[in-house]
Coordinates of all heavy atoms in Angstrom, one line a residue:
L1 N 0.8 -1.2 0.0 CA 0.0 0.0 0.0 C 0.9 1.3 0.0 O 0.5 2.2 -0.7 CB -0.9 0.0 1.2 CG -2.2 -0.8 1.1 CD1 -2.9 -0.9 2.4 CD2 -3.1 -0.2 0.0
A2 N 2.0 1.2 0.7 CA 2.9 2.4 0.7 C 3.4 2.6 -0.7 O 3.4 3.8 -1.2 CB 4.1 2.2 1.6
Q3 N 3.7 1.6 -1.4 CA 4.2 1.7 -2.8 C 3.1 2.3 -3.7 O 3.4 3.2 -4.5 CB 4.6 0.3 -3.3 CG 5.1 0.3 -4.8 CD 5.5 -1.1 -5.2 OE1 6.1 -1.9 -4.4 NE2 5.1 -1.5 -6.4
V4 N 1.9 1.8 -3.6 CA 0.8 2.2 -4.4 C 0.4 3.7 -4.1 O 0.2 4.5 -5.0 CB -0.4 1.3 -4.2 CG1 -1.7 1.9 -4.9 CG2 -0.1 -0.1 -4.8
L5 N 0.3 4.0 -2.8 CA -0.1 5.4 -2.5 C 1.0 6.4 -2.9 O 0.6 7.5 -3.4 CB -0.2 5.5 -0.9 CG -1.5 4.7 -0.4 CD1 -1.5 4.7 1.1 CD2 -2.8 5.4 -0.9
R6 N 2.3 6.1 -2.9 CA 3.3 7.0 -3.4 C 3.1 7.2 -4.9 O 3.2 8.3 -5.4 CB 4.7 6.4 -3.1 CG 5.1 6.5 -1.7 CD 6.6 6.1 -1.5 NE 6.9 5.8 -0.1 CZ 7.1 4.6 0.3 NH1 6.9 3.6 -0.5 NH2 7.4 4.4 1.6
S7 N 2.8 6.1 -5.6 CA 2.6 6.2 -7.0 C 1.3 7.0 -7.4 O 1.2 7.5 -8.5 CB 2.5 4.8 -7.7 OG 1.3 4.1 -7.3
L8 N 0.4 7.1 -6.4 CA -0.8 7.9 -6.6 C -0.6 9.4 -6.2 O -1.5 10.2 -6.2 CB -2.0 7.3 -5.9 CG -2.5 6.0 -6.4 CD1 -3.6 5.4 -5.5 CD2 -3.1 6.2 -7.8
G9 N 0.6 9.7 -5.8 CA 0.9 11.1 -5.5 C 0.9 11.5 -4.0 O 1.0 12.6 -3.7
V10 N 0.8 10.5 -3.2 CA 0.8 10.7 -1.7 C 2.2 10.8 -1.2 O 3.0 9.8 -1.3 CB 0.0 9.6 -1.0 CG1 0.0 9.9 0.5 CG2 -1.4 9.5 -1.5
P11 N 2.7 11.9 -0.6 CA 4.0 12.0 -0.1 C 4.2 11.2 1.1 O 3.3 10.8 1.8 CB 4.2 13.5 0.2 CG 2.8 14.0 0.4 CD 1.9 13.2 -0.5
N12 N 5.5 10.8 1.4 CA 5.8 10.0 2.6 C 5.2 10.6 3.9 O 4.8 9.9 4.8 CB 7.3 9.8 2.7 CG 7.8 8.8 1.7 OD1 7.1 7.9 1.2 ND2 9.1 9.0 1.3
S13 N 5.2 11.9 4.0 CA 4.8 12.6 5.2 C 3.3 12.4 5.4 O 2.8 12.6 6.5 CB 5.1 14.1 5.1 OG 4.4 14.7 4.0
R14 N 2.5 12.0 4.4 CA 1.1 11.8 4.5 C 0.7 10.3 4.6 O -0.5 10.1 4.6 CB 0.4 12.4 3.3 CG 0.9 13.8 3.0 CD 0.4 14.9 3.9 NE -1.0 15.2 3.7 CZ -1.5 15.9 2.8 NH1 -0.7 16.5 1.9 NH2 -2.8 16.1 2.7
L15 N 1.7 9.4 4.6 CA 1.3 8.0 4.7 C 0.9 7.6 6.1 O 1.7 7.8 7.0 CB 2.5 7.1 4.2 CG 2.8 7.1 2.7 CD1 4.1 6.3 2.5 CD2 1.6 6.5 2.0
P16 N -0.3 7.0 6.3 CA -0.6 6.5 7.7 C 0.4 5.4 8.0 O 0.9 4.7 7.1 CB -2.0 6.0 7.5 CG -2.6 6.7 6.3 CD -1.4 6.9 5.4
D17 N 0.6 5.1 9.3 CA 1.5 4.1 9.8 C 0.9 2.7 9.8 O 1.7 1.7 9.8 CB 2.1 4.5 11.2 CG 2.9 5.7 11.1 OD1 3.6 6.0 10.1 OD2 2.9 6.5 12.1
D18 N -0.4 2.6 9.9 CA -1.0 1.3 10.1 C -1.7 0.9 8.8 O -2.0 1.6 7.9 CB -2.0 1.4 11.2 CG -3.2 2.4 10.9 OD1 -2.8 3.6 10.6 OD2 -4.3 2.1 11.0
L19 N -2.0 -0.4 8.7 CA -2.6 -1.1 7.6 C -4.0 -0.5 7.3 O -4.4 -0.2 6.2 CB -2.7 -2.6 7.7 CG -3.3 -3.4 6.6 CD1 -2.5 -3.2 5.3 CD2 -3.4 -4.8 6.9
A20 N -4.8 -0.4 8.4 CA -6.2 0.1 8.3 C -6.2 1.5 7.7 O -7.0 1.9 6.8 CB -6.9 0.0 9.6
G21 N -5.3 2.4 8.2 CA -5.2 3.7 7.7 C -4.8 3.8 6.2 O -5.4 4.6 5.5
R22 N -3.9 3.0 5.9 CA -3.4 3.1 4.5 C -4.5 2.5 3.5 O -4.7 3.0 2.4 CB -2.1 2.3 4.3 CG -0.9 3.0 4.9 CD 0.4 2.2 4.7 NE 1.5 2.9 5.4 CZ 2.7 2.5 5.4 NH1 3.0 1.4 4.8 NH2 3.6 3.1 6.1
T23 N -5.2 1.4 4.0 CA -6.3 0.9 3.2 C -7.4 1.9 3.0 O -7.9 2.0 1.9 CB -6.8 -0.4 3.9 OG1 -5.8 -1.3 4.1 CG2 -7.9 -1.1 3.0
A24 N -7.8 2.6 4.1 CA -8.8 3.6 4.0 C -8.5 4.7 3.0 O -9.3 5.2 2.2 CB -9.2 4.1 5.4
L25 N -7.2 5.2 3.1 CA -6.8 6.3 2.3 C -6.8 5.8 0.8 O -7.2 6.5 -0.1 CB -5.4 6.7 2.7 CG -4.7 7.8 1.8 CD1 -5.6 9.1 1.8 CD2 -3.3 8.2 2.4
Y26 N -6.3 4.6 0.6 CA -6.2 4.0 -0.8 C -7.6 3.9 -1.4 O -7.9 4.4 -2.5 CB -5.5 2.7 -0.7 CG -5.6 1.8 -2.0 CD1 -5.0 2.2 -3.2 CD2 -6.3 0.6 -2.0 CE1 -5.1 1.5 -4.3 CE2 -6.4 -0.1 -3.1 CZ -5.8 0.3 -4.3 OH -5.9 -0.5 -5.4
R27 N -8.5 3.4 -0.6 CA -9.9 3.2 -1.1 C -10.6 4.6 -1.3 O -11.4 4.8 -2.3 CB -10.7 2.3 -0.2 CG -10.2 0.9 -0.3 CD -10.9 0.0 0.7 NE -10.4 -1.4 0.5 CZ -10.6 -2.4 1.3 NH1 -11.2 -2.1 2.5 NH2 -10.1 -3.6 1.1
S28 N -10.3 5.6 -0.5 CA -10.8 6.9 -0.7 C -10.3 7.5 -2.0 O -11.1 8.1 -2.8 CB -10.5 7.8 0.5 OG -11.0 7.3 1.7
L29 N -9.0 7.4 -2.2 CA -8.4 8.0 -3.5 C -9.0 7.2 -4.7 O -9.1 7.9 -5.8 CB -6.9 7.8 -3.4 CG -6.2 8.8 -2.5 CD1 -4.7 8.4 -2.4 CD2 -6.4 10.2 -2.8
M30 N -9.2 6.0 -4.6 CA -9.7 5.2 -5.8 C -11.2 5.2 -5.9 O -11.7 4.7 -7.0 CB -9.2 3.7 -5.6 CG -7.7 3.6 -5.6 SD -7.0 3.6 -7.2 CE -7.4 2.0 -7.8
H31 N -11.9 5.8 -5.0 CA -13.4 5.7 -5.1 C -13.9 6.4 -6.4 O -13.5 7.5 -6.7 CB -14.0 6.5 -3.9 CG -15.5 6.5 -3.9 ND1 -16.3 5.4 -3.7 CD2 -16.4 7.5 -4.2 CE1 -17.5 5.7 -3.8 NE2 -17.6 6.9 -4.1
G32 N -14.7 5.7 -7.1 CA -15.2 6.2 -8.3 C -14.3 6.2 -9.5 O -14.7 6.5 -10.6
K33 N -13.1 5.7 -9.3 CA -12.1 5.6 -10.4 C -12.2 4.3 -11.1 O -12.5 3.3 -10.5 CB -10.7 5.8 -9.9 CG -10.4 7.1 -9.1 CD -10.3 8.2 -10.1 CE -10.0 9.5 -9.4 NZ -10.1 10.7 -10.3
R34 N -12.0 4.4 -12.4 CA -12.0 3.1 -13.2 C -10.5 2.8 -13.5 O -9.9 3.3 -14.5 CB -12.8 3.3 -14.5 CG -14.3 3.6 -14.2 CD -15.1 3.6 -15.5 NE -15.1 2.2 -16.1 CZ -15.5 1.9 -17.3 NH1 -15.9 2.9 -18.1 NH2 -15.5 0.7 -17.7
M35 N -9.9 2.1 -12.6 CA -8.5 1.8 -12.6 C -8.3 0.3 -12.8 O -9.0 -0.5 -12.3 CB -7.9 2.2 -11.3 CG -6.4 2.4 -11.3 SD -5.8 4.0 -11.9 CE -6.1 5.0 -10.4
L36 N -7.2 0.0 -13.5 CA -6.8 -1.4 -13.7 C -5.6 -1.7 -12.8 O -4.6 -1.0 -12.9 CB -6.5 -1.7 -15.2 CG -6.1 -3.1 -15.6 CD1 -7.2 -4.1 -15.2 CD2 -5.7 -3.2 -17.0
V37 N -5.8 -2.6 -11.9 CA -4.7 -3.0 -10.9 C -4.2 -4.4 -11.2 O -5.0 -5.3 -11.2 CB -5.3 -2.8 -9.5 CG1 -4.1 -3.1 -8.5 CG2 -5.9 -1.5 -9.3
V38 N -2.9 -4.5 -11.4 CA -2.3 -5.8 -11.6 C -1.5 -6.2 -10.4 O -0.5 -5.4 -10.1 CB -1.5 -5.9 -12.9 CG1 -0.8 -7.3 -13.0 CG2 -2.3 -5.6 -14.1
L39 N -1.8 -7.2 -9.7 CA -1.1 -7.7 -8.5 C -0.4 -9.0 -8.9 O -1.1 -10.1 -8.9 CB -2.0 -7.9 -7.3 CG -2.9 -6.7 -6.9 CD1 -3.8 -7.0 -5.8 CD2 -2.0 -5.5 -6.6
D40 N 0.9 -8.9 -9.1 CA 1.6 -10.1 -9.6 C 2.3 -10.9 -8.5 O 2.9 -10.3 -7.6 CB 2.7 -9.6 -10.6 CG 3.2 -10.6 -11.6 OD1 2.6 -11.7 -11.6 OD2 4.1 -10.3 -12.3

């Protein structure tokens, strides 16, 4: 999630420290977006 959030323009200073916080931020940024995500 840290890797993905940085690629979406979130600076390190704005990254939550916990999994729940990062998940919530990621889903908020992606809400309504039509994005293709490849998890290899």
